[in-house]
Amino acid sequence: MIKRIPGTKDVLPSEIDKWHFIENIVHKIFHNYNYGEIRTPIFEETPLFARGIGEETDIVSKEMYTFNDRGGTSVTLKPEMTAAVVRAFIEHNFDSKQSLNKLYYISPMFRQERPQAGRLRQFHQFGAEVIGSNSPLLDAEIIIIAYRILSSLGLKAILLKINTLGKPLEREKFKNALKEYLYPHFEKLSDDSKKRFSGNILRIFDSKDASDVKIMSSAPNIQDYLSESGIAHFEKVRSVLDKASVPFEVEPKLVRGLDYYTDTTFEILSGKVGSQNALCGGGRYDNLIETLGGKNTPGVGFAAGIERIILALDNENALKLTPEPLDYFIIRLNDDSANAFSVAQHLRDRGFSVELDYLDRSVKAQMREANKLNAEKVVFIGGEEEKDGLLTLKFMKTGEQVSIKPEMISEYKFPAD
RNA sequence: GUGGGUAUAGCUCAGCUGGUUAGAGCACCAGGUUGUGGCCCUGGGGGCCGAGGGUUCAAGUCCCUCUACUCACCCCA
């Protein structure tokens, strides 16, 4: 038996309602804030991601689906969306049409990692990128939108954490201070953190190792290395969030694995999804556009994982979706099935959802099927009343039924209807 | 890449210290109502017990190998 590729998932008809529900809310809320949807190809030339995300990051160094096409070009299935959006932004000269661009997307992403709960190799994200302003209002707007979508979906057990990483120069100073602080403790660090020491030293803040945590508890704080403008930026973000009544926690240990972040970063965590608990992450990236060959333009954005959100919704039991009921089910009372399809067609032409039996099943079986499909009304054809040119219409909720002329069925209403 | 766990019907799982034809619930199909659902009752179809090897008179059960799935680390949505 051929099976699906590990780390991929089929979305079956029985669960598609959840996806539509989420997608509808995403579209609606982004419309509220005047964001335009963008769709980019599923693959790009490899250097876009290598340069944009950072050669040293885990995503680029070991997780990308990269291959050569028949022309010998190295292409990569997109592992994240920001670089792709920025590429489109530059390629289509967005900045010359409009000085501020607010974009959102819903798209599959690909990363070749070991799958586990809440981690897939093909997964789906929705997210936004706002390019063209360094206003802290937009940092806050992005966070508010993300938070609002998640709470509109019905999630309760979520926690918003925010932090600031400062400007590149400030961060370098901070990294050096950290290095100095950690040097004497080096031997006591976990093996993973020893590697991080020379690679991405900030990630040691994220370590779950007990010894690491102890050492880091008295490590230097990024706040002490921020410039006045950096502090002011972060304060503004926080005050806007406060005014919008979005609850958050400042988490100085929040560092993110993508190289391009500057100033504000944030995550929204779920307490209900196991170990991979970040539903959403994002931040500001004021240097990325220039890195990718555009003009020096600031940006801010986020991405949220749809599969993780579904996990959280399921585990919180937050979703109460009832499948769309069927308007009519056509039942044959005798063997003459010639009419059934054209009666169904008559109703379908008028916009109703209609089903009928294709398996020559008994009346009882057809009724069971109608009930299972939650049909509102059932039409019986081919019975005694056919001689008088009538059909029988039954209202399933109350069991009432009437015999009426065929051309009346789409209009007839029962008292409780 | 590194660890741990699991593998029995379409799904969720029983199957005790090895012992006859391998079970339940749900789902599916049929009947109980010769033209009528939900509840209930009766019956039915479905399993190389993940694969291969070993121990034994005897293996779903014990041992080994492999494979798949799964959780966790790293990292991320």
Side-chain angles (χ1 to χ4, degrees), chain A residues 311-330:
Chain A
L311 253 178
L313 287 168
D314 286 347
N315 293 346
E316 285 195 32
N317 210 354
L319 228 45
K320 288 170 187 67
L321 300 176
T322 44
E324 279 286 294
L326 193 70
D327 294 321
Y328 295 93
F329 193 97
I330 315 299

Side-chain angles (χ1 to χ4, degrees), chain A residues 82-366:
Chain A
T82 305
V85 171
V86 168
R87 191 227 79 228
F89 171 90
I90 297 169
E91 184 169 338
H92 298 284
N93 298 311
F94 275 35
D95 56 343
S96 62
K97 296 167 198 157
Q98 231 176 300
S99 43
L100 180 65
N101 285 277
K102 298 166 76 170
L103 305 164
Y104 81 96
Y105 58 85
I106 302 176
S107 171
M109 305 292 164
F110 304 84
R111 291 181 202 169
Q112 190 160 10
E113 300 181 83
R114 194 76 153 249
Q116 69 184 72
R119 172 183 294 150
L120 295 164
R121 290 183 170 178
Q122 174 177 344
F123 57 101
H124 296 76
Q125 292 183 330
F126 63 82
E129 314 293 347
V130 178
I131 306 175
S133 165
N134 57 14
S135 166
L137 282 178
L138 288 167
D139 302 44
E141 180 169 297
I142 282 289
I143 295 169
I144 290 167
I145 290 173
Y147 192 84
R148 205 157 155 192
I149 291 173
L150 296 187
S151 44
S152 297
L153 293 170
L155 291 174
K156 298 260 189 296
I158 53 175
L159 177 63
L160 167 62
K161 292 187 172 186
I162 66 172
N163 190 27
T164 179
L165 297 177
K167 309 282 183 220
L169 214 72
E170 299 156 23
R171 199 172 347 158
E172 273 317 302
K173 276 191 211 156
F174 173 59
K175 277 186 183 175
N176 286 334
L178 203 54
K179 229 172 229 177
E180 219 165 283
Y181 166 79
L182 283 175
Y183 200 73
H185 300 99
F186 186 81
E187 284 310 316
K188 278 182 275 173
L189 289 173
S190 66
D191 290 348
D192 280 327
S193 287
K194 281 177 183 153
K195 275 181 228 154
R196 292 170 178 134
F197 186 86
S198 47
N200 192 345
I201 194 164
L202 292 179
R203 292 227 62 88
I204 302 179
F205 277 114
D206 237 7
S207 177
K208 289 165 191 163
D209 181 89
S211 166
D212 290 356
V213 171
K214 197 175 163 205
I215 293 169
M216 296 310 282
S217 63
S218 41
N221 195 321
I222 180 78
Q223 315 290 338
D224 302 330
Y225 292 81
L226 295 180
S227 64
E228 268 177 44
S229 70
I231 292 168
H233 187 97
F234 194 49
E235 269 172 8
K236 183 77 182 171
V237 173
R238 289 183 309 196
S239 77
V240 175
L241 291 178
D242 280 333
K243 276 184 197 144
S245 304
V246 171
F248 64 88
E249 247 175 47
V250 175
E251 172 57 271
K253 297 193 182 94
L254 174 65
V255 292
R256 300 189 45 79
L258 285 72
D259 276 358
Y260 51 63
Y261 286 118
T262 56
D263 287 313
T264 314
T265 59
F266 75 100
E267 279 182 359
I268 300 176
L269 308 174
S270 166
K272 301 280 183 179
V273 296
S275 163
Q276 303 307 316
N277 60 355
L279 300 185
C280 172
R284 178 161 279 288
Y285 47 87
D286 284 350
N287 303 309
L288 177 62
I289 288 100
E290 196 170 16
T291 305
L292 290 174
K295 289 178 208 142
N296 184 2
T297 314
V300 59
F302 80 91
I306 296 180
E307 285 86 351
R308 282 186 191 176
I309 289 170
I310 290 175
L311 253 178
L313 287 168
D314 286 347
N315 293 346
E316 285 195 32
N317 210 354
L319 228 45
K320 288 170 187 67
L321 300 176
T322 44
E324 279 286 294
L326 193 70
D327 294 321
Y328 295 93
F329 193 97
I330 315 299
I331 287 182
R332 289 169 296 98
L333 294 174
N334 60 21
D335 291 340
D336 176 23
S337 61
N339 259 339
F341 195 84
S342 55
V343 171
Q345 190 62 29
H346 171 88
L347 290 166
R348 286 166 173 164
D349 283 346
R350 281 154 186 77
F352 296 102
S353 57
V354 185
E355 186 55 294
L356 64 152
D357 173 60
Y358 299 91
L359 302 173
D360 290 333
R361 286 188 286 186
S362 66
V363 172
K364 180 175 187 151
Q366 294 181 71

Side-chain angles (χ1 to χ4, degrees), chain A residues 383-417:
Chain A
E384 290 292 318
E385 55 279 39
E386 195 175 40
K387 294 190 188 99
D388 307 320
L390 300 177
L391 298 175
T392 294
L393 185 65
K394 173 165 180 156
F395 190 56
M396 292 295 270
K397 207 188 294 177
T398 58
E400 292 169 83
Q401 52 187 65
V402 289
S403 290
I404 54 171
K405 289 188 174 147
E407 55 273 23
M408 288 295 292
I409 47 176
S410 64
E411 290 143 49
Y412 190 85
K413 293 250 185 276
F414 290 90
D417 204 342

